[in-house]
């Protein structure tokens, strides 16, 4: 039976992280979740779309980027913004855009505030972890390397290598399978509505990051709660409660 990416999961969205004890794993999206990379994607799209005279030569806006592009799989983006092109031509444009993005990323990518603190919290407790993304594998591996996380993640799951990418649950279900952990003892960090929907559809609570996307848009996807970054006191209060309910290790501290 096919699992819809938009099936409401009210019991998940209302639960707290303490219900996951003992915690087994934490899953992360990459763009906008490990680092604030969406502006680099926006600049790359804007530059290349200008070169081909898209939208009559008028630069795309950030609002257009959020609505049509952010968090979506490349094939879907190509179909959406180039409805009159054949898919092969659209995917060639996407390949060129990803190459330009990687050039920008090498010069400008920085971790979100508190990322290394949450990394230490996870490592101290011996939890499993994976990166789960709709980005192409070259992008994902570059970003993880630039952020110094190559030795942190035990698996990197790519949407295009699954039967369906986000917003369907397949990438997150694959991560559970690869790590050999239960959805009942795993939670997710995500920054896009598409990614939150994928995690919720996979049966896991999702902590949403308000890196770039509007809070109202993220809340429609039913995260368990929203944080601004990994220094947010709301996150550390939830992790402290989780520790107290049976997660291994010492009490979380901000």
């Amino acid at each position: 039976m096919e699992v819809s990416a938009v099936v409401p999961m009210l019991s998940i969205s209302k639960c707290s992280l303490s219900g996951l004890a003992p915690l087994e794993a934490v899953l992360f999206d990459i763009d906008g979740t490990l680092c604030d990379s969406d502006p680099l994607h926006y600049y790359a799209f804007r530059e290349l779309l200008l070169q081909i005279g898209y939208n009559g030569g008028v630069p795309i806006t950030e609002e257009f980027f959020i609505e049509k592009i952010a968090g979506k799989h490349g094939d879907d983006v190509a179909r959406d913004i180039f409805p009159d092109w054949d898919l092969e031509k659209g995917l060639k444009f996407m390949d060129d855009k990803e190459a330009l993005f990687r050039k920008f990323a090498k010069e400008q990518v920085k971790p979100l505030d508190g990322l290394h603190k949450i990394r230490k919290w996870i490592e101290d407790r011996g939890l499993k972890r994976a990166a789960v993304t709709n980005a192409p594998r070259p992008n994902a591996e570059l970003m993880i390397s630039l952020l110094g996380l190559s030795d942190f993640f035990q698996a990197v799951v790519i949407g295009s290598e699954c039967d369906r990418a986000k917003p369907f649950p397949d990438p997150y279900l694959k991560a559970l399978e690869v790590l050999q952990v239960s959805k009942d003892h795993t939670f997710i960090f995500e920054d896009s509505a598409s990614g939150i929907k994928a995690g919720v559809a996979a049966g896991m609570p999702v902590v949403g990051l308000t890196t770039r996307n509007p809070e109202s848009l993220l809340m429609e996807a039913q995260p368990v709660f929203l944080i601004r970054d990994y220094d947010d006191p709301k996150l550390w209060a939830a992790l402290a409660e989780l520790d107290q309910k049976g997660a291994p290790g010492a009490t979380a501290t901000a």
Side-chain angles (χ1 to χ4, degrees):
M1 181 177 68
E2 180 171 299
V3 180
S4 169
V6 294
V7 170
M9 300 288 289
L10 296 180
S11 61
I12 294 294
S13 65
K14 290 181 179 179
C15 78
S16 73
L17 297 181
S18 63
L20 300 172
L23 190 63
E24 295 178 355
V26 183
L27 309 179
F28 292 81
D29 175 47
I30 296 180
D31 286 301
T33 299
L34 300 179
C35 53
D36 186 9
S37 51
D38 272 357
L40 306 184
H41 285 286
Y42 168 61
Y43 299 146
F45 270 108
R46 187 179 64 180
E47 181 170 320
L48 292 185
L49 289 172
L50 276 174
Q51 289 180 16
I52 64 172
Y54 186 84
N55 193 35
V58 178
I60 63 168
T61 63
E62 290 191 51
E63 290 74 18
F64 176 93
F65 175 81
I66 291 171
E67 178 184 353
K68 299 288 188 180
I69 298 171
K72 297 181 180 178
H73 187 256
D75 291 17
D76 297 328
V77 173
R79 292 188 185 96
D80 198 12
I81 66 177
F82 303 121
D84 298 327
W85 286 15
D86 62 68
L87 184 58
E88 183 178 355
K89 183 178 180 181
L91 294 181
K92 174 61 169 63
F93 174 91
M94 294 299 297
D95 287 344
D96 292 343
K97 174 263 160 183
E98 300 301 353
L100 183 57
F101 166 79
R102 289 192 290 272
K103 178 182 176 182
F104 290 160
K106 288 177 182 177
E107 303 166 355
Q108 301 182 52
V109 162
K110 296 179 180 178
L112 284 189
D113 289 345
L115 178 62
H116 294 296
K117 186 193 303 183
I118 190 66
R119 171 184 180 167
K120 183 177 186 303
W121 186 87
I122 291 168
E123 290 178 329
D124 286 350
R125 286 151 182 78
L127 303 174
K128 294 183 179 181
R129 53 270 188 184
V132 183
T133 178
N134 271 353
R137 186 166 288 278
N139 285 26
E141 292 179 347
L142 174 64
M143 303 287 280
I144 289 170
S145 175
L146 291 172
L147 293 167
L149 297 172
S150 297
D151 295 333
F152 173 68
F153 287 115
Q154 296 156 329
V156 179
V157 177
I158 305 297
S160 62
E161 297 173 6
C162 301
D163 290 340
R164 302 172 299 179
K166 304 174 192 177
F168 291 98
D170 304 42
Y172 279 115
L173 295 175
K174 183 175 180 180
L176 294 175
E177 181 182 353
V178 171
L179 294 179
Q180 296 185 316
V181 295
S182 168
K183 67 178 178 61
D184 298 325
H185 301 286
T186 302
F187 75 91
I188 297 167
F189 286 112
E190 267 282 2
D191 77 299
S192 70
S194 171
I196 294 171
K197 288 175 182 177
V200 170
M204 287 171 280
V206 182
V207 176
L209 286 122
T210 58
T211 313
R212 290 282 167 178
N213 292 306
E215 290 190 18
S216 57
L217 180 65
L218 297 181
M219 287 305 299
E220 288 176 4
Q222 300 181 352
V224 65
F225 58 84
L226 298 178
I227 58 173
R228 66 174 186 275
D229 55 38
Y230 299 103
D231 279 333
D232 196 313
K234 190 187 304 182
L235 171 63
W236 291 96
L239 296 181
E241 181 185 17
L242 178 56
D243 268 338
Q244 292 166 6
K245 290 292 177 68
T251 300
T253 56

